[in-house]
Amino acid sequence: QVQLVESGGGLVQVGGSLRLSCAASEIIFNSKAMGWFRQAPGKRREFVAAIASGGRTVYDDSVNGRFTISRDNTKNTVYLQMNDLKPEDTAVYYCNGGLYYSGKEWQPEFASWGQGTQVTVSS
């Protein structure tokens, strides 16, 4: 019942673009906010972007101005348009719901994660 399916990743060159999709189960999608996280090799999972049910968005400074998060409420799907990709963007990208700010970082309400989608940026 609680499901997250990410897709759209791939291999691109520096400066290229990708559009990621995340299909979420209704219980997750109808939470206060949906968001994207990423995890690079040897690194911990980090926050990328979030969009609240009302449409307000928040971005990590590392992607602000390059990435755009959006949602389609008719499809229970959240998207991440990634432009001007850099090698530092290489990671497995995950989505989740119920995002809230703990005072130190953005965290999801739900403990389960999907398989993620691999994004590789080469020069």
Side-chain angles (χ1 to χ4, degrees), residues 62-76:
S62 65
V63 305
N64 194 23
R66 299 187 298 118
F67 291 11
T68 302
I69 188 171
S70 62
R71 60 193 292 157
D72 186 337
N73 295 337
T74 68
K75 298 180 178 180
N76 285 357

Side-chain angles (χ1 to χ4, degrees), residues 17-98:
S17 299
L18 283 174
R19 180 177 169 85
L20 307 184
S21 297
C22 169
S25 57
E26 187 171 358
I27 188 172
I28 298 177
F29 193 82
N30 289 339
S31 62
K32 62 183 69 177
M34 293 293 297
W36 288 93
F37 298 78
R38 65 186 180 185
Q39 186 169 27
K43 304 287 186 178
R44 66 190 303 272
R45 185 150 36 204
E46 64 180 15
F47 169 78
V48 175
I51 182 167
S53 59
R56 298 181 69 176
T57 58
V58 176
Y59 298 91
D60 183 78
D61 288 341
S62 65
V63 305
N64 194 23
R66 299 187 298 118
F67 291 11
T68 302
I69 188 171
S70 62
R71 60 193 292 157
D72 186 337
N73 295 337
T74 68
K75 298 180 178 180
N76 285 357
T77 300
V78 61
Y79 305 95
L80 185 67
Q81 178 65 48
M82 306 184 294
N83 298 324
D84 191 24
L85 284 162
K86 305 176 180 180
E88 308 90 88
D89 296 318
T90 295
V92 177
Y93 284 69
Y94 303 87
C95 64
N96 215 325

